[in-house]
Amino acid sequence: MLDRNIPPALNPLPQASLIAPVERSLANGTRIYVFKDNQQEVFKMDILFRAGREYASRPFIADTALNMLNEGTFSRTGREIAEIFDFHGAYMGLYTGFVQSSLSVVSLYKHAGTIAGLIAEMIAESRIPEEEMKIFLKNRKQELLLKLEKNNFIAHREFGKKLYGPTHPYANNTTPEDIERVNGKDVADFYTSHIRSKAPTLLLSGRIEEDFLRRIEEIFGSFSYCAPTGELPEFPEIPSVPGRYATETKNSMQTSLRIGKKGLSLTHPDYPGFIVLNTLIGGYFGSRLMSNIREEKGYTYGIHSANIVLPQSAYWVIMSDVNSEYKDRAVEEVLKEIDILRKEPVGERELEMVKTYMHGEILRETDGIFAQSDTFAEKLAFGLDNRYFEGIIRDIHAQTPEMLLSIAQRHLNPEEFIIITAG
Amino acid sequence: MVKYERICLPNGLACIYNEDFSTPFVAVNILYKAGAKNETEGHTGFAHLFEHLMFGGSENIPDYDARVQAAGGENNAFTTNDYTNYYIILPASNLETALWLESDRMAKLVLSEKALRIQKDVVVEEFKQRYLNTPYGDIWLKLRPLAYKKHPYRRPTIGCSVEEIRNASLSDVKEFYSRYYAPDNAILSISGNIKAGKAHRLVEKWFGDIPAAGYKKEIFPAEPEQKEARRLLTHGKDLPADAIYKAFHMDKRISDEFYICDLISDLLSNGNSSRFYNRLIKGKASFSSIDAYVTGDTDPGLFIVSGKISPGISPEEAEKDMENELHALVSGKIPEKEIRKVINKTESKIACSSVSYRNKASELAFFEMLGDVALINREYEKYENISSEDIVRTGCKLFEPENSSTLIYLKS
């Protein structure tokens, strides 16, 4: 007879099985990293440009310049470019970051050559057509206006402003007027000096055969780049302004909460302990905040926390949409949980569960050739590679209740908190 | 090509296995054939509320989530009109933990007044967060009852109102559980780093002794053919744009018509070379965003066209532009190359999706629910055989004004 009361034995989790990419450097400075798995039918190409928002003199210039890449070259209209991608079943995306921006494409390998050729042309010969740019800006402004209707967007902006100051790029404070002010000349200049003139980094993953790789080297090796990758402009960080701030909005059925402060960067010695603490308090479904504020009190559908690492900074934030009736009690309960973390050592059983969960998350994050290419791209921005994961798994397991208690006391001081409520 | 083995236990549990040794993980997916359409009048939102209660603990395991996390796994669930789907992703060496957890809550879930009270509060907050306190969030609450008059699809999954969610009693919960949460109304699929034979031996061990409920398939009232164009006007709270939503009745997921309609939606709005993108976002620029998609339900579903109108364009003008595009598509031959393009895109989408063991586990269960698991490998061929005539014939009928329900969402 089966005894359901006896749980199956648990097996310890394996190490992350990391794949070292094959690295090539071209004479013009282009770097290529290849994560090859020729069992795949699909290939993925990511092109990383040192052309993020921090290089632009005004908001939304970097976003616009990147998004104009698929709106036309000297020999093709945007429509023709789109026809080629779609006809070959290729999915292309553009992403603007703070330092790095990227173009990513996924497609069936049988069309890899055509797609790579087209992308090279888009990067080398962007025409930035005025009409297309106007439509792009109009639609992005509409999107922003819609986001500004949402309490959680408003709360996050207010949080960013108090944390970095309203004009810092990390505050993400682009306004509809900023978008209106974008003009073709600024966009063209940005394209020329940052996208066109700096050697990019290429990541190739999935099915990558030798002849395709040679073709890539040929195409991307033929460009000449005149600008150095570029020193980042300095953005003086103003000191954060701790305190409690309330914003009224027209949607008052729920209140968006943001509670947080500056966080820890990847290289900070307390980083591993801090992310264990973060997971414990709000980083997974079974976290203390979820257990208390959702599962015990029913004030919210979800409450989460995260340590967000930015190129030259980091912040830590708790986020939730709560029943407006209980917004003050929700804030109180959050502060109570922080206080417990600063006073009582974490129990062994809870800590063990959090470590195993985090270890599992890292294995999921690095599972498969495409995932490893993605994590590699992220780590590259910090001068690291996927070997980072080996170290962090070890460091997570090394945390003790005493270490965490002292990290909580050092880095989670409520007097430094910025508390935002919107709605 | 997704290879799988399908075996049914004597208690009626359908089991499907896909071996994928490219990952160290397994995905364990359990689908219960009970969704919002199985709810009774006045108790809408119940199937979804029940999904929340499934995490409250079972006879031998009071702490479901903690056990998943301690095994290095993650889990979640979702509810649709047709079914409720639960999954756990965890290292393959801990597969048995997932089966222990899932079988225990299938065999005997613990249901308490306290858990019910708190989960009602949580679901009410979810209702507000996703449907009421967000711009255009309530469109499904309005569009479903406009498009459906008889079939239970007229009810949104989240429920018709916060009050109806509050109505649920513990005895309703117990009855729903004993009726629907049984092996003969469930599908278990496993994909990942485990041999099918080994997985099945463990499944037999944990699920084999759970008794069947003798579930009898329900027949839902068919939606009568719509005979008149329906319209509804609604006002937002100072939103940045007016919007249009149109719903057209179409056939069920497993029909040939589904594939044709899906292709029509791709011709209209998939990618920057699509008709909507080039003629309505660019071109006339009457919309800032516009989309067409199919709901893909078990019973006959909906073809949805929705768009946010550009500033300075009246809703009447925008609607005319939208309708003109729908009619232009079905009033002449569609170029071969344009059809080939959306078929190629579908081929690529299927190839990308079959890279993931997670997708394979959930899709295997989904196709089994539709009644034909083998369809997972025949989908591409269904698209590939579609001709211009099929599209024009199906589209003409689809886009008839009498088949439409239009919701005009004004900004204020």
Side-chain angles (χ1 to χ4, degrees):
Chain A
M1 181 68 188
L2 178 66
D3 187 350
R4 294 184 173 276
N5 212 2
I6 304 170
L10 285 178
N11 293 297
L13 269 48
Q15 285 304 310
S17 72
L18 300 172
I19 305 146
V22 175
E23 185 181 344
R24 310 209 183 186
S25 290
L26 307 184
N28 64 1
T30 303
R31 293 243 279 232
I32 305 178
Y33 297 94
V34 183
F35 288 86
K36 183 170 79 173
D37 175 4
N38 284 354
Q39 308 270 10
Q40 305 284 346
E41 271 183 89
V42 175
F43 89 106
K44 180 164 177 277
M45 175 157 81
D46 302 275
I47 304 181
L48 314 178
F49 306 103
R50 302 281 289 187
R53 290 181 188 139
E54 291 193 44
Y55 291 106
S57 52
R58 285 198 286 112
F60 221 67
I61 300 282
D63 303 67
T64 310
L66 183 74
N67 278 278
M68 287 303 105
L69 289 184
N70 64 343
E71 293 295 356
T73 66
F74 294 127
S75 49
R76 276 180 242 265
T77 64
R79 170 90 193 248
E80 287 163 349
I81 293 173
E83 289 287 351
I84 298 173
F85 279 128
D86 286 342
F87 189 81
H88 294 91
Y91 291 84
M92 198 269 301
L94 298 159
Y95 170 77
T96 319
F98 289 112
V99 173
Q100 214 150 258
S101 286
S102 60
L103 182 160
S104 300
V105 68
V106 182
S107 164
L108 292 174
Y109 180 73
K110 59 185 177 190
H111 305 307
T114 312
I115 296 302
L118 176 64
I119 286 173
E121 181 184 319
M122 286 160 51
I123 297 167
E125 298 176 17
S126 183
R127 202 163 48 84
I128 314 176
E130 195 68 27
E131 190 53 31
E132 262 72 12
M133 193 182 84
K134 268 197 208 139
I135 291 171
F136 168 78
L137 293 171
K138 179 199 78 172
N139 294 342
R140 285 305 176 90
K141 184 182 141 195
Q142 286 300 108
E143 262 173 42
L144 176 59
L145 288 170
L146 186 58
K147 284 187 195 160
L148 286 167
E149 294 290 314
K150 297 178 183 174
N151 288 348
N152 55 15
F153 189 78
I154 297 168
H156 212 84
R157 279 209 157 181
E158 291 304 312
F159 179 72
K161 284 195 234 172
K162 297 290 184 263
L163 196 63
Y164 290 108
T167 57
H168 196 285
Y170 294 164
N172 278 324
N173 201 24
T174 304
T175 61
E177 295 71 33
D178 287 331
I179 297 181
E180 282 170 8
R181 240 178 270 137
V182 170
N183 68 65
K185 183 176 179 313
D186 289 351
V187 173
D189 287 349
F190 187 87
Y191 160 73
T192 308
S193 49
H194 298 284
I195 297 176
R196 181 62 189 85
S197 306
K198 296 177 191 172
T201 299
L202 269 60
L203 281 92
L204 303 169
S205 51
R207 179 140 173 197
I208 307 292
E209 288 174 14
E210 270 310 306
D211 56 339
F212 174 58
L213 191 55
R214 272 197 302 278
R215 178 93 188 97
I216 288 282
E217 289 180 351
E218 232 172 74
I219 301 172
F220 287 88
S222 69
F223 300 131
S224 54
Y225 299 110
C226 49
T229 32
E231 288 296 303
L232 271 179
E234 290 279 326
F235 288 96
E237 259 185 45
I238 63 148
S240 299
V241 200
R244 184 163 172 174
Y245 307 90
T247 305
E248 300 279 320
T249 71
K250 58 190 164 196
N251 302 307
S252 53
M253 234 177 234
Q254 282 187 319
T255 304
S256 259
L257 291 186
R258 292 292 182 277
I259 301 176
K261 60 184 281 293
K262 293 265 167 72
L264 268 58
S265 296
L266 293 178
T267 49
H268 194 291
D270 289 341
Y271 178 81
F274 190 71
I275 61 171
V276 172
L277 274 177
N278 171 64
T279 306
L280 197 113
I281 189 149
Y284 73 128
F285 196 88
S287 72
R288 290 184 178 188
L289 289 176
M290 278 292 264
S291 306
N292 179 346
I293 292 165
R294 172 175 147 139
E295 297 296 321
E296 274 297 314
K297 310 262 176 5
Y299 294 165
T300 182
Y301 174 50
I303 181 160
H304 308 279
S305 68
N307 180 64
I308 307 289
V309 180
L310 300 168
Q312 298 178 84
S313 179
Y315 66 89
W316 175 77
V317 65
I318 294 170
M319 301 161 275
S320 184
D321 290 295
V322 301
N323 185 337
S324 298
E325 245 175 274
Y326 300 116
K327 66 180 169 192
D328 293 329
R329 287 172 67 181
V331 171
E332 228 172 86
E333 288 299 323
V334 169
L335 295 175
K336 213 189 274 174
E337 291 294 344
I338 300 284
D339 195 53
I340 295 172
L341 272 187
R342 289 165 53 88
K343 287 194 175 130
E344 296 169 19
V346 178
E348 282 295 345
R349 188 164 173 256
E350 185 185 9
L351 181 56
E352 213 35 59
M353 182 174 72
V354 166
K355 287 176 179 177
T356 312
Y357 171 78
M358 291 177 80
H359 188 156
E361 270 297 292
I362 292 170
L363 296 181
R364 272 186 290 279
E365 206 186 325
T366 54
D367 181 18
I369 201 85
F370 298 108
Q372 290 210 11
S373 169
D374 289 346
T375 57
F376 183 84
E378 281 165 31
K379 294 295 169 273
L380 202 58
F382 298 99
L384 300 165
D385 61 31
N386 281 344
R387 279 172 297 183
Y388 159 86
F389 292 106
E390 283 168 357
I392 196 77
I393 289 175
R394 193 183 54 232
D395 293 344
I396 285 168
H397 284 292
Q399 299 301 314
T400 64
E402 295 69 36
M403 288 159 80
L404 295 176
L405 189 63
S406 98
I407 292 173
Q409 287 163 0
R410 270 202 297 283
H411 299 291
L412 292 177
N413 179 1
E415 283 173 18
E416 296 170 12
F417 286 1
I418 294 163
I419 301 175
I420 306 281
T421 56
Chain B
M1 179 80 180
V2 179
K3 285 191 190 146
Y4 60 86
E5 282 185 47
R6 182 188 180 281
I7 309 167
C8 205
L9 293 185
N11 61 12
L13 180 67
C15 308
I16 306 156
Y17 306 100
N18 165 254
E19 298 175 350
D20 184 342
F21 299 107
S22 71
T23 171
F25 287 93
V26 284
V28 176
N29 194 93
I30 294 208
L31 183 155
Y32 290 94
K33 291 179 256 179
K37 72 177 174 194
N38 302 88
E39 293 160 357
T40 51
E41 210 57 49
H43 290 84
T44 60
F46 192 82
H48 169 253
L49 173 65
F50 189 85
E51 173 211 313
H52 280 244
L53 294 167
M54 279 289 277
F55 295 89
S58 52
E59 189 175 35
N60 299 291
I61 314 169
D63 48 351
Y64 177 93
D65 288 304
R67 300 295 184 154
V68 177
Q69 289 145 11
E74 65 163 8
N75 61 279
N76 213 334
F78 60 87
T79 306
T80 74
N81 281 72
D82 294 318
Y83 63 99
T84 310
N85 193 76
Y86 301 84
Y87 67 83
I88 303 180
I89 311 285
L90 80 179
S93 60
N94 287 333
L95 167 67
E96 197 169 354
T97 298
L99 301 176
W100 172 61
L101 288 164
E102 291 303 338
S103 63
D104 206 52
R105 65 180 183 175
M106 185 189 283
K108 196 148 200 247
L109 190 66
V110 173
L111 296 158
S112 73
E113 285 288 357
K114 187 191 172 203
L116 176 60
R117 192 185 70 236
I118 288 172
Q119 289 310 316
K120 279 185 193 175
D121 285 343
V122 170
V123 170
V124 167
E125 292 309 309
E126 180 178 359
F127 199 137
K128 293 187 206 162
Q129 187 175 323
R130 296 172 57 180
Y131 301 85
L132 302 179
N133 211 37
T134 192
Y136 313 104
D138 57 353
I139 58 139
W140 282 108
L141 306 185
K142 296 177 188 294
L143 202 52
R144 283 192 174 278
L146 189 64
Y148 290 103
K149 297 299 169 193
K150 284 271 182 295
H151 192 280
Y153 286 166
R154 68 183 182 279
R155 310 184 289 234
T157 318
I158 190 70
C160 291
S161 67
V162 164
E163 290 67 38
E164 290 203 12
I165 293 168
R166 294 233 178 262
N167 271 343
S169 71
L170 197 61
S171 64
D172 296 335
V173 173
K174 288 182 172 160
E175 205 214 304
F176 193 84
Y177 177 66
S178 61
R179 182 191 297 229
Y180 296 113
Y181 279 69
D184 47 336
N185 195 40
I187 298 157
L188 170 66
S189 58
I190 297 178
S191 172
N193 197 326
I194 183 94
K195 286 242 164 75
K198 188 172 174 200
H200 189 63
R201 278 193 297 281
L202 292 172
V203 167
E204 277 181 315
K205 171 179 167 187
W206 290 103
F207 288 86
D209 69 352
I210 303 175
Y215 174 70
K216 284 193 190 57
K217 204 168 179 229
E218 282 157 85
I219 306 291
F220 300 99
E223 183 61 23
E225 192 185 337
Q226 190 176 330
K227 295 260 172 38
E228 75 299 316
R230 296 175 189 153
R231 296 185 74 80
L232 181 69
L233 187 71
T234 189
H235 299 270
K237 286 189 276 181
D238 290 324
L239 295 170
D242 300 318
I244 305 178
Y245 299 85
K246 275 185 186 287
F248 302 92
H249 291 281
M250 58 172 273
D251 208 348
K252 56 190 177 186
R253 179 65 175 79
I254 206 155
S255 67
D256 287 341
E257 188 185 308
F258 168 84
Y259 296 92
I260 303 171
C261 289
D262 192 28
L263 216 60
I264 292 176
S265 75
D266 284 347
L267 289 166
L268 289 171
S269 80
N270 190 346
N272 289 6
S273 76
S274 65
R275 291 179 175 228
F276 277 169
Y277 189 83
N278 282 288
R279 299 180 190 170
L280 300 183
I281 290 187
K282 294 188 173 175
K284 297 199 75 168
S286 34
F287 287 87
S288 65
S289 67
I290 180 163
D291 200 10
Y293 61 95
V294 292
T295 54
D297 301 306
T298 309
D299 292 340
L302 296 175
F303 186 105
I304 307 286
V305 181
S306 68
K308 305 237 158 55
I309 303 170
S310 293
I313 307 282
S314 72
E316 294 75 28
E317 196 182 340
E319 187 178 2
K320 185 135 273 155
D321 289 343
M322 181 190 266
E323 283 174 345
N324 285 345
E325 278 315 316
L326 302 181
H327 295 130
L329 181 76
V330 298
S331 55
K333 198 170 155 49
I334 298 147
E336 203 55 47
K337 195 175 169 199
E338 193 180 353
I339 298 176
R340 193 66 238 170
K341 174 183 78 182
V342 288
I343 291 173
N344 288 350
K345 225 168 164 178
T346 303
E347 181 192 13
S348 175
K349 192 174 76 187
I350 293 172
C352 289
S353 150
S354 69
V355 169
S356 152
Y357 64 96
R358 294 169 183 233
N359 289 351
K360 285 188 286 185
S362 65
E363 284 188 2
L364 285 166
F366 177 73
F367 285 111
E368 171 70 21
M369 176 198 72
L370 292 177
D372 184 8
V373 66
L375 196 56
I376 194 169
N377 290 319
R378 288 207 320 270
E379 292 237 292
Y380 177 61
E381 151 198 332
K382 296 246 182 201
Y383 288 104
E384 221 187 357
N385 293 327
I386 293 170
S387 67
S388 173
E389 293 72 48
D390 293 331
I391 292 170
V392 171
R393 192 188 60 244
T394 305
C396 276
K397 201 177 100 210
L398 182 69
F399 296 137
E400 270 176 13
E402 301 76 56
N403 191 36
S404 72
S405 300
T406 306
L407 172 64
I408 305 286
Y409 209 121
L410 295 178
K411 50 188 164 189
S412 56

